[in-house]
Amino acid sequence: MAPAPKYSLQEQERMILNAAEQCINESSVTDFTMAKVARLAGLSMGSVYKFVQSKEDIVLALAYQSFDHVSKVFELVLSLPLSTPEKMLAVCLISPKAMQRFEFDYELQSYSTNKAVIQRASSRWTEKMIDACNCCEQGFKLALSDGISAGELQNVPNLSEVIEEILISGWAITVGFEQVQRVKQTQEIVEGTDSLLEPLPLNHPIIRSTVRLLNSYPWKKPIDDDSLVTIENELKKLTLR
């Protein structure tokens, strides 16, 4: 009778990804090697290849962990006792530190969406990422749909179009801002004085712009200064700000 394996399949996968995280912290998202991952995990290459067939698989596996963490934070925010437009704005006010899963999150997100990486990765990890993205998007769509159906938004001629507009516009503002800031803060990053992980103040231009965007729709209760204070207090209760 063959001896029982020393580690369960779940434990082995966790060991591999923990080793991969260490490798990337010591080098970069592009420079780590499969051999070093196996060595740090204390597993044979054969065992490693049961879970990840390439560096691209590792990148997507870690990106999935990062995205899963962010999605869980979004779930918490969307369940807060806030109005629907307040929930959408609350996402912009979450502390970046609370959203961070790895120190190299930004590099990981950028690299994992590279066409070559996606094409070289195995279907297991690409499908997990696709499912996770769809699930996250559906969470936002459901929150908006529930709020609108409850009468928070009046005179909606086409519900699906309005939801799509709000989601796309909101992501464009927040993600676009982050990318621009990273370019502008290159010098500060070099000097170690950047503030990319600091939460945005309530009067930040991006917050004001998002409020204008959301209030351009006929909400029964538009966002006002009191809304901002309420959102901040709710996020602080969850240590998300």
Side-chain angles (χ1 to χ4, degrees):
M1 184 175 182
K6 187 176 181 180
Y7 303 105
S8 69
L9 295 178
Q10 185 176 17
E11 288 173 328
Q12 289 181 59
E13 182 172 298
R14 184 171 61 249
M15 291 162 63
I16 292 166
L17 296 183
N18 286 345
E21 177 184 357
Q22 182 179 339
C23 285
I24 293 174
N25 279 328
E26 293 174 356
S27 55
S28 73
V29 174
T30 57
D31 291 339
F32 72 95
T33 65
M34 294 286 281
K36 186 170 183 180
V37 169
R39 185 167 68 254
L40 288 178
L43 298 171
S44 67
M45 288 300 298
S47 295
V48 171
Y49 282 124
K50 291 179 184 177
F51 303 95
V52 285
Q53 281 73 57
S54 62
K55 290 177 62 175
E56 287 77 16
D57 272 6
I58 288 180
V59 167
L60 280 191
L62 292 176
Y64 171 77
Q65 286 191 343
S66 176
F67 193 82
D68 184 61
H69 170 76
V70 170
S71 295
K72 286 182 170 60
V73 174
F74 287 158
E75 287 178 17
L76 285 175
V77 173
L78 294 178
S79 67
L80 288 172
L82 300 170
S83 70
T84 299
E86 286 173 343
K87 289 178 181 179
M88 297 300 110
L89 182 62
V91 171
C92 304
L93 289 168
I94 301 171
S95 168
K97 290 181 180 178
M99 301 280 278
Q100 190 176 41
R101 173 64 176 82
F102 303 112
E103 291 183 10
F104 48 86
D105 268 341
Y106 183 76
E107 293 76 15
L108 182 64
Q109 292 163 11
S110 299
Y111 192 57
S112 64
T113 55
N114 181 284
K115 181 178 179 180
V117 172
I118 295 172
Q119 289 179 330
R120 292 171 184 165
S122 63
S123 59
R124 178 194 179 195
W125 293 107
T126 54
E127 288 172 2
K128 285 175 76 73
M129 279 297 297
I130 291 170
D131 289 343
C133 290
N134 289 337
C135 184
C136 182
E137 183 179 5
Q138 288 304 313
F140 278 92
K141 286 184 175 180
L142 181 61
L144 281 166
S145 179
D146 286 349
I148 293 172
S149 299
E152 290 187 59
L153 189 62
Q154 303 168 332
N155 304 318
V156 182
N158 191 316
L159 178 62
S160 61
E161 286 186 0
V162 169
I163 290 175
E164 186 177 29
E165 287 173 10
I166 293 175
L167 289 180
I168 290 178
S169 300
W171 287 124
I173 289 176
T174 54
V175 176
F177 166 72
E178 179 179 302
Q179 292 178 341
V180 170
Q181 280 298 97
R182 287 185 177 276
V183 173
K184 290 175 62 177
Q185 292 192 349
T186 299
Q187 183 61 40
E188 294 177 14
I189 292 173
V190 171
E191 296 171 350
T193 59
D194 65 284
S195 57
L196 291 173
L197 293 179
E198 296 302 318
L200 297 176
L202 298 181
N203 65 343
H204 191 279
I206 284 297
I207 302 304
R208 299 200 306 268
S209 296
T210 305
V211 170
R212 286 180 183 273
L213 166 66
L214 291 168
N215 281 350
S216 68
Y217 294 90
W219 297 103
K220 189 173 182 179
K221 183 181 181 298
I223 295 172
D224 55 22
D225 290 342
D226 289 338
S227 300
L228 290 168
V229 175
T230 299
I231 293 169
E232 184 170 53
N233 289 336
E234 290 295 332
L235 290 176
K236 284 180 177 178
K237 290 177 185 178
L238 296 176
T239 64
L240 295 179
R241 187 168 171 84

